[in-house]
Amino acid sequence: MRKLAPVVLFAYNRLLHVQQTVESLRLNELANGSELFIFSDGGRNDEDWNKVKEVRRYLKTIFGFRKIEIFESEYNKGLANSVIDGVTKIVNEYRNIIVLEDDMVTSRYFLRYMNDALELYESDQDIACITGYVYPIKKLPETFFIRGADCWGWATWKKEWDLFEADGRKLLQEIQSKSLEKEFNFNNKYPYTQMLKDQISGKNSSWAVRWHASAFLKNKLCLYSGKSFVHNTGNDGSGIHCGKSDSLDIQLVSSYGEIKKIQVIENKKCRKAFENFLNGNSNKWSLIKKEKHGNRRNVTILGCIKFSYKKRIKEPIKSTEELPYGFSGDYSSWNDVKKLCGDYAQSNIFEATLASTLKVKNGEAVFERDSFIFDKIQYSRGLLVSLLKIAIENENSLSVLDFGGALGSHYFQNKEFLKPIKIKKWTVVEQKYYVKVGKEKISDGILDFAYSIDDVMGANVLIASGVIQYLDNPYEWLRKLIYKSVPYVIFDRTAFSVENRDRLTVQRVHPSIYDASYPAWFLDEQKFLDIVQSKYLVVADFDDYIDVISEIPSKFKGYLLKRKQSHV
């Protein structure tokens, strides 16, 4: 069995960013077989500690990896010390390592590429590391080498990390004594030497410039891919070590076959391309001189020096590519958002859902949800307990109307637990092409599909799980569902705003699942309850933990409802 390199993640106090990083990593092809080690740094003050605690609560819910181990610092070590200590600890034990910080969103092929490269070049003595990020430069070769090291989603071996020199003074002295400043600075197109001087004087604590200098002075090379497997989401001004910039944004690689071994020498053309790119952004790098006057906040992460900029007037969003992954925005018109990004009725969503559902039906996979295949079934306890309660009150039988249930995801999710229950019928009401293909390829005698709720008779429970918020008129649909007068209704995974109002957002799905965006509501919970309680009693409500990326003040909840004056 292939031995995969351990993955190390460094986290601090940015919940949204670490969610994005973990979610994209979990969707990687090799995630299930990879060991994940997370180093969570302590807060600098009370406000930071509150955010750190929020991040740590989330970290304890992560799943989808072979092993997960979390190291929580009791004090603030700072990024540099965290990285140096964490990398050293893990690489000494495992001999190789893949490293991410909490603002690195990865392609689904990132882990495969990194492990392939680590294996392919393990015996070469001239390579310091492999990086998953490359500047947005056109017409680069498939892979190439540049002298030095890089740090945005990278990998290395113990024998190379042993060369890391933590003493910046020694590094600077050697660079200057050998008159290497110009070459170290990419032909003076980037101020690495100044970064190193600032590290020595305490103006920054960059471990990355010391890693780069250590490799550079040993004539070691870094392997780059011509297209990025990593996107840095930290250029939004949110981090301790990052400012606001979009000059380094890239499109994640969307396909990957295999890596081919190349001659281990520096590619001079690519180095020149780097110089030209850095020179084209020289106005950003030159801002370093202004730090001394206190009018800019310094950022010292290798790959760029980032700065906070004066806030600009934001232009109207013209493309969803401008939006972060997950839920964002606050819009007034469903139709306007639909024009911007489409809706849930996109063909690639259906195709991805069909492929994954067929794998579950045919026993090739355990569970799917929203087309993503899981290594174990992710139960909604509220939904399952509610179904069992209803069955007990109905002579151990269920007849289900599953509104918006895709190709039977909830049926396959719960059928093992419901084996002692007599399921008379499980009918999914969906869009036309779901119903057509569902009848042809998925139906099994119990599971069936229908075009309308009016076509389903005799159901004793209606399920609407994670669906109401994706409809253009959610409250109109809510009324239609409760006026169907099914004895029991279960709303599961329903999105509510905590702002006491409705909020219309865009949900941008990470392309490693499928490339899509669509409108999504966060509902006013009181308005929701006013409608459903006109005909139903609330038997129970339950919180749903939904592993989503969201900047919206929100919660996901479920409700079990029983029709008023019902004696079922």
Side-chain angles (χ1 to χ4, degrees), residues 219-480:
N219 286 307
K220 298 283 184 173
L221 301 172
C222 178
L223 177 69
Y224 288 83
S225 169
K227 295 182 179 180
S228 278
F229 290 82
V230 175
H231 171 59
N232 189 312
T233 62
N235 299 331
D236 57 359
S238 64
I240 298 300
H241 295 281
C242 62
K244 214 167 191 177
S245 172
D246 59 5
S247 62
L248 301 168
D249 287 353
I250 51 84
Q251 289 292 320
L252 287 173
V253 62
S254 58
S255 63
Y256 169 66
E258 63 178 1
I259 184 173
K260 298 175 183 176
K261 195 164 189 177
I262 61 172
Q263 188 177 6
V264 184
I265 58 172
E266 183 174 46
N267 189 312
K268 299 299 183 183
K269 290 184 178 179
C270 291
R271 184 178 182 86
K272 184 65 176 177
F274 275 33
E275 290 176 6
N276 291 338
F277 176 82
L278 295 169
N279 189 49
N281 289 275
S282 60
N283 62 318
K284 297 181 180 67
W285 320 140
S286 64
L287 290 175
I288 193 167
K289 298 175 182 177
K290 297 184 180 180
E291 296 172 16
K292 298 176 182 178
H293 304 291
N295 63 345
R296 288 292 187 275
R297 182 161 58 109
N298 180 35
V299 178
T300 53
I301 290 183
L302 194 64
C304 74
I305 301 178
K306 312 172 209 161
F307 299 87
S308 55
Y309 293 85
K310 293 180 180 179
K311 189 174 181 180
R312 296 177 296 178
I313 297 173
K314 189 174 182 181
E315 297 179 359
I317 292 173
K318 298 175 182 178
S319 168
T320 54
E321 292 182 359
E322 301 176 36
L323 298 175
Y325 296 115
F327 297 93
S328 64
D330 192 355
Y331 301 91
S332 59
S333 167
W334 178 276
N335 288 332
D336 287 347
V337 178
K338 186 175 176 180
K339 288 176 185 176
L340 173 69
C341 62
D343 59 18
Y344 213 83
Q346 297 173 47
S347 61
N348 59 330
I349 301 176
F350 169 70
E351 290 161 3
T353 302
L354 174 60
S356 57
T357 303
L358 285 172
K359 286 184 179 181
V360 173
K361 183 185 178 184
N362 297 331
E364 300 170 23
V366 177
F367 174 60
E368 72 81 28
R369 185 173 65 216
D370 299 329
S371 85
F372 180 71
I373 291 176
F374 294 80
D375 59 340
K376 62 181 180 180
I377 297 176
Q378 306 299 311
Y379 290 104
S380 167
R381 291 183 176 85
L383 173 61
L384 181 56
V385 169
S386 296
L387 288 171
L388 292 171
K389 173 179 172 60
I390 294 165
I392 291 170
E393 296 181 6
N394 283 268
E395 299 179 345
N396 210 39
S397 69
L398 290 172
S399 183
V400 180
L401 191 170
D402 189 352
F403 182 70
L407 289 172
S409 178
H410 304 125
Y411 171 74
F412 292 111
Q413 176 190 38
N414 294 288
K415 64 184 295 187
E416 188 67 28
F417 262 103
L418 297 177
K419 274 186 176 179
I421 308 297
K422 181 180 180 181
I423 303 177
K424 295 179 179 179
K425 203 73 174 176
W426 192 297
T427 307
V428 175
V429 174
E430 260 292 357
Q431 301 167 78
K432 289 182 179 179
Y433 44 93
Y434 278 80
V435 175
K436 182 177 183 297
V437 174
K439 284 181 173 293
E440 292 173 356
K441 298 184 177 182
I442 309 295
S443 293
D444 65 2
I446 296 175
L447 178 62
D448 198 6
F449 296 83
Y451 295 102
S452 167
I453 60 174
D454 296 330
D455 297 333
V456 184
M457 302 298 175
N460 58 12
V461 56
L462 185 155
I463 298 172
S465 178
V467 61
I468 293 294
Q469 56 262 35
Y470 295 106
L471 301 174
D472 55 349
N473 295 301
Y475 296 111
E476 181 179 327
W477 276 103
L478 188 59
R479 291 185 180 91
K480 287 181 181 178

